[in-house]
Amino acid sequence: MHARRILSIDGGGIRGLVSCTWLEAVEASLANAGKPGLLGSFDLLAGTSTGALVACGLGLGWSPDTLARLYRERRAEIFPGVPGKLWSRVRRVFRHGVSAPRYDGKGLEAVLREVFGDRRMGELQRPTLITSYDTLARRPVIFKSFLPEHAGLRLWEVCRASTAAPSYFPAHGMEVEGRLCSLIDGGIVANNPTACAIAEALRRDREVRQCGDLVVLSVGTGERNQPIPLKSAQEWGAVEWAIPIIDVLFDGNADSVDYIARQLVGKGYFRLQAELLAGLDDLDDTSAAHISALERLARDYLLKPETQQKLRQLAARL
């Protein structure tokens, strides 16, 4: 397997729309440079959570624009608004108690089933790596389209497993390599799956002798900047940390992977990431105003001279 050129996509819920917008710009930059599109320019795709959906869609040959439309048009089914969310939660509180997840996952699952149908991992046109975590075995599960034992796994199930963010969606039960797994969001393992992809490239591609031989594009979904005050961090207990700790864990491991990849790969490493403005950091806000603000943030980032230079440099390296 040749894996010198890596495309990695972060998790981030509805902010996957930001990643798709940036990937549209990458594809345009490649076209301007006379290069093939994303599938023709990368050897290995990697995705976590919402990035798993994007990576699998790209692997099937779908355009970033097609995937962006999916986020716009189906967002309310994946993350129901207040009335639907409250009604669903009231019913589940009676069955599971007040600690039930925000969403029952039925909308997410229905969308994934419809979008991917019966397609399997082995049908992806590029080797693809997707992260998840098994709560039964207490260890990561890395789905790999190029492994015979994973080739028959349904894409909708793989994406459902990778997007099951704790406190947002229930875990997804499925059989992997003959073993029943209870799978939750890949962000627990690597919200930025770049390091996993680099390790896979070094292990499987005999032509890659060192990290400096790689070209890596790591695409974020926006980076939170809202501080947690010292007083809160000192005084919060389990209840107060219940939701914020997920965001902190996802952001922390994404940033650590960014640092590691930058040190290992050097000039061949390109990261698309922007600081989120106040109020834009929710994983599940699907209001029209929020979607519009996310798209504006993504476009503004692309207009920056340093971003334009980065895109040109990336296209030249691929």
Side-chain angles (χ1 to χ4, degrees):
M1 182 184 81
H2 295 293
R4 188 182 69 85
R5 303 169 301 174
I6 296 170
L7 171 58
S8 173
I9 307 163
D10 285 16
I14 193 61
R15 301 200 313 270
L17 179 58
V18 172
S19 301
C20 293
T21 303
W22 291 343
L23 286 168
E24 288 180 54
V26 172
E27 196 147 61
S29 183
L30 289 169
N32 290 337
K35 301 290 181 70
L38 292 172
L39 269 189
S41 297
F42 290 97
D43 308 311
L44 175 64
L45 309 180
T48 288
S49 197
T50 201
L53 191 161
V54 176
C56 289
L58 294 174
L60 289 172
W62 301 344
S63 69
D65 178 63
T66 297
L67 291 163
R69 287 202 305 272
L70 171 64
Y71 281 94
R72 295 188 195 101
E73 295 172 3
R74 310 300 295 272
R75 65 186 192 271
E77 297 169 65
I78 298 171
F79 297 109
V82 173
K85 181 168 62 176
L86 286 178
W87 175 241
S88 170
R89 186 165 177 77
V90 165
R91 288 181 298 167
R92 286 179 292 118
V93 162
F94 281 108
R95 293 197 301 268
H96 307 301
V98 295
S99 61
R102 285 190 186 186
Y103 307 96
D104 59 19
K106 292 180 180 178
L108 169 62
E109 187 168 316
V111 170
L112 292 174
R113 281 178 178 271
E114 182 180 336
V115 167
F116 290 112
D118 198 46
R119 294 182 178 92
R120 312 296 174 116
M121 285 208 81
E123 297 178 49
L124 296 174
Q125 298 173 34
R126 282 291 180 272
T128 303
L129 179 155
I130 303 297
T131 65
S132 188
Y133 184 83
D134 181 13
T135 65
L136 294 177
R138 297 293 289 269
R139 68 185 186 195
V141 172
I142 312 297
F143 297 104
K144 302 174 184 179
S145 66
F146 43 87
L147 290 183
E149 53 266 44
H150 292 175
L153 296 175
R154 291 179 174 84
L155 287 174
W156 79 260
E157 283 208 84
V158 170
C159 289
R160 174 67 178 85
S162 188
T163 55
S167 77
Y168 288 89
F169 294 111
H172 181 64
M174 63 181 290
E175 190 173 289
V176 182
E177 298 180 29
R179 181 173 57 84
L180 178 63
C181 298
S182 168
L183 297 169
I184 60 174
D185 198 293
I188 298 298
V189 179
N191 202 49
N192 174 352
T194 301
C196 297
I198 290 173
E200 195 65 34
L202 292 175
R203 188 173 75 88
R204 298 188 67 88
D205 193 336
R206 295 179 180 178
E207 295 181 8
V208 177
R209 303 298 180 184
Q210 55 188 0
C211 290
D213 295 333
L214 299 172
V215 178
V216 179
L217 172 59
S218 177
V219 183
T221 60
E223 187 171 35
R224 295 175 181 84
N225 62 0
Q226 184 175 351
I228 296 175
L230 174 61
K231 183 175 177 60
S232 297
Q234 288 176 330
E235 296 178 356
W236 280 358
V239 173
E240 293 85 356
W241 273 111
I243 297 298
I245 194 63
I246 299 299
D247 297 335
V248 170
L249 287 173
F250 285 4
D251 286 348
N253 75 41
D255 288 343
S256 65
V257 168
D258 177 50
Y259 173 81
I260 292 167
R262 199 174 299 277
Q263 303 309 308
L264 290 176
V265 181
K267 293 182 178 179
Y269 176 71
F270 299 85
R271 174 77 166 162
L272 299 181
Q273 182 68 299
E275 191 172 87
L276 293 168
L277 302 175
L280 292 184
D281 54 355
D282 287 342
L283 298 173
D284 60 342
D285 185 347
T286 58
S287 65
H290 190 247
I291 295 300
S292 177
L294 284 177
E295 292 184 313
R296 185 166 56 251
L297 177 141
R299 291 193 299 268
D300 288 347
Y301 174 75
L302 292 172
L303 292 174
K304 292 182 177 181
E306 56 268 32
T307 305
Q308 290 295 312
Q309 182 182 16
K310 186 181 296 186
L311 292 174
R312 289 192 296 270
Q313 290 173 342
L314 170 66
R317 291 290 296 265
L318 290 171

